[in-house]
Amino acid sequence: MKMVVPASWEDLPADLIGLVLLRLPSLADRVRLRAACRPWRAAAKQMKPSLPLPLPWLAFRDGSIVDLDGAPVRCAPILRDGVFRYLAVDNFAFLIHDDGACSLMNPLSGLTLPLPKIAPVVCRAIDRYYFYQQSQLRTTHDKVILSSPFDSTLDPLLTSIILEGNDVVISACKNHDAVNISMCPESSQLPPTRHAKDISFLNGKLYALTEYEGLWSIKLDANLLSEPKSSLRFHQCIPKDPTQHEIHWCPDPNQQQPWDPSDLPPGYIVVRYLAESNGRLLMIRRWMAFPRKARLGTQERTSRFEVFEADLSTVPGQWVKVDNLDGQAIFLRAVPTHSFYG
């Protein structure tokens, strides 16, 4: 049987282009393939839902971006006139402008999507507390996440931790409705007793990790953000564990040799992250050791990680330690950079 040879590279079969894409873990390489010609772009678009996430880029605070090999990535300037700072969220940059307004920008194309309702909502949240001022409008966003990819049929919800975890702001990206929800609504003027340390979406719910590893959730719908705020409340999933702390003074549990009692044990800062992976909600503990006499923030060294899965099949739920990630990798905001995914 005679083999049919394509007349040109444009006629390369879509299934072969798909095989090539599966061997391109870099987003930059996938973009270059799509830019080659229209047939390749169409085939890549058809394959996109079945492709694994590309390796992330690292975006530094000065707006420069590199891949995991340290090679610079050419993209539109993230920090520009009128932009005070930014946070990374999936494959977008969440821009905070000089006047406190917010928007999403695609760093590859430079296209910007305004989010006009976020700033007024944050202003109202600040007014609820006597210990915050409007001058903090530009610096209050701590972390931003999206509920779904931007090219899905759903209206993605953008959620930001604000006011040091006292509140979260949720905004629909397409219809622009926005609302702020307090982590502790009963304390409107007093310092709240519950703070969001990290957030993550799973199966249409927003989960918030609080002090002492408590877990709270809320069901969200882009079409219902304009409903009365009284109907939008967090509900407890996993109770807090008072034995868990952010700073521990103890010997390294992994140390083989007995600890010298004449020496003071080191301290450990324990930072906790919340992440969705393969349909599971995970909590990651990052243990960072520092010498007993060191100033916090100067000599921390990551000692180990622990991973736990939220078991919500019981009431109340519980954290169950896991030994593997099913072949997945989790990128944490563990250094002063941000990650971009394509």
Side-chain angles (χ1 to χ4, degrees):
M1 187 174 180
K2 209 171 189 179
M3 183 181 295
V4 178
V5 180
S8 69
W9 284 106
E10 292 185 8
D11 300 326
L12 198 66
D15 57 340
L16 291 183
I17 294 177
L19 291 176
V20 173
L21 283 168
L22 287 172
R23 288 162 173 78
L24 295 178
S26 169
L27 174 61
D29 290 336
R30 294 183 186 182
V31 170
R32 293 186 186 101
L33 184 145
R34 294 197 298 261
C37 59
R38 290 184 179 180
W40 287 24
R41 187 181 304 116
K45 184 177 182 180
Q46 184 179 355
M47 278 289 300
K48 187 175 181 180
S50 61
L51 292 176
L53 281 174
L55 294 177
W57 293 340
L58 299 179
F60 294 93
R61 288 180 175 173
D62 63 1
S64 60
I65 299 177
V66 299
D67 61 21
L68 290 186
D69 293 324
V73 176
R74 295 182 180 180
C75 65
I78 297 176
L79 294 178
R80 56 183 74 178
D81 289 341
V83 175
F84 178 73
R85 59 190 286 257
Y86 82 100
L87 298 172
V89 48
D90 288 359
N91 58 336
F92 290 90
F94 177 74
L95 307 181
I96 300 105
H97 299 266
D98 290 341
D99 59 358
C102 301
S103 60
L104 279 177
M105 187 193 79
N106 185 328
L108 284 176
S109 65
L111 293 177
T112 302
L113 174 69
L115 300 169
K117 297 291 185 67
I118 290 183
V121 166
V122 174
C123 286
R124 290 195 293 271
I126 290 175
D127 286 341
R128 289 181 58 242
Y129 301 100
Y130 69 87
F131 41 86
Y132 291 114
Q133 299 177 351
Q134 289 297 328
S135 59
Q136 296 170 272
L137 179 62
R138 301 183 302 176
T139 60
T140 190
H141 297 277
D142 290 328
K143 180 178 180 178
V144 182
I145 62 173
L146 282 172
S147 62
S148 59
F150 224 81
D151 53 2
S152 67
T153 57
L154 301 174
D155 186 353
L157 293 174
L158 182 142
T159 302
S160 173
I161 297 177
I162 64 169
L163 303 177
E164 302 172 292
N166 291 336
D167 286 32
V168 295
V169 166
I170 300 102
S171 173
C173 293
K174 296 178 181 178
N175 66 27
H176 299 319
D177 279 343
V179 66
N180 83 285
I181 304 174
S182 174
M183 289 301 304
C184 198
E186 61 272 13
S187 56
S188 58
Q189 290 297 323
L190 299 175
T193 57
R194 191 165 58 240
H195 306 82
K197 297 296 185 179
D198 205 354
I199 50 177
S200 183
F201 278 103
L202 178 66
N203 298 330
K205 286 186 176 181
L206 173 67
Y207 289 88
L209 183 68
T210 61
E211 298 94 337
Y212 306 106
E213 300 183 357
L215 184 68
W216 297 71
S217 72
I218 186 172
K219 182 73 174 179
L220 294 173
D221 187 326
N223 298 318
L224 299 178
L225 292 184
S226 58
E227 296 292 319
K229 283 183 58 177
S230 58
S231 64
L232 296 174
R233 285 177 176 264
F234 280 95
H235 301 278
Q236 189 178 66
C237 302
I238 297 178
K240 66 181 182 180
D241 180 357
T243 65
Q244 298 298 328
H245 301 281
E246 292 185 352
I247 297 180
H248 293 256
W249 298 102
C250 62
D252 188 342
N254 295 328
Q255 185 173 335
Q256 300 298 322
Q257 301 295 327
W259 193 265
D260 184 356
S262 64
D263 193 10
L264 293 173
Y268 289 88
I269 298 175
V270 183
V271 181
R272 295 164 176 86
Y273 306 89
L274 200 60
E276 182 275 334
S277 178
N278 258 5
R280 301 188 297 174
L281 188 65
L282 304 179
M283 176 185 68
I284 299 96
R285 290 183 192 153
R286 178 189 175 204
W287 290 73
M288 296 185 295
F290 60 91
R292 179 83 183 200
K293 297 181 180 180
R295 292 181 58 188
L296 293 182
T298 59
Q299 299 184 41
E300 293 95 341
R301 295 293 184 270
T302 297
S303 172
R304 63 189 170 111
F305 289 96
E306 294 177 304
V307 182
F308 299 82
E309 179 180 357
D311 180 3
L312 304 179
S313 61
T314 61
V315 179
Q318 59 183 330
W319 294 111
V320 179
K321 194 168 186 177
V322 298
D323 298 323
N324 65 79
L325 298 176
D326 297 333
Q328 302 293 308
I330 298 177
F331 289 84
L332 302 176
R333 191 176 60 172
V335 292
T337 62
H338 312 290
S339 294
F340 279 109
Y341 288 88

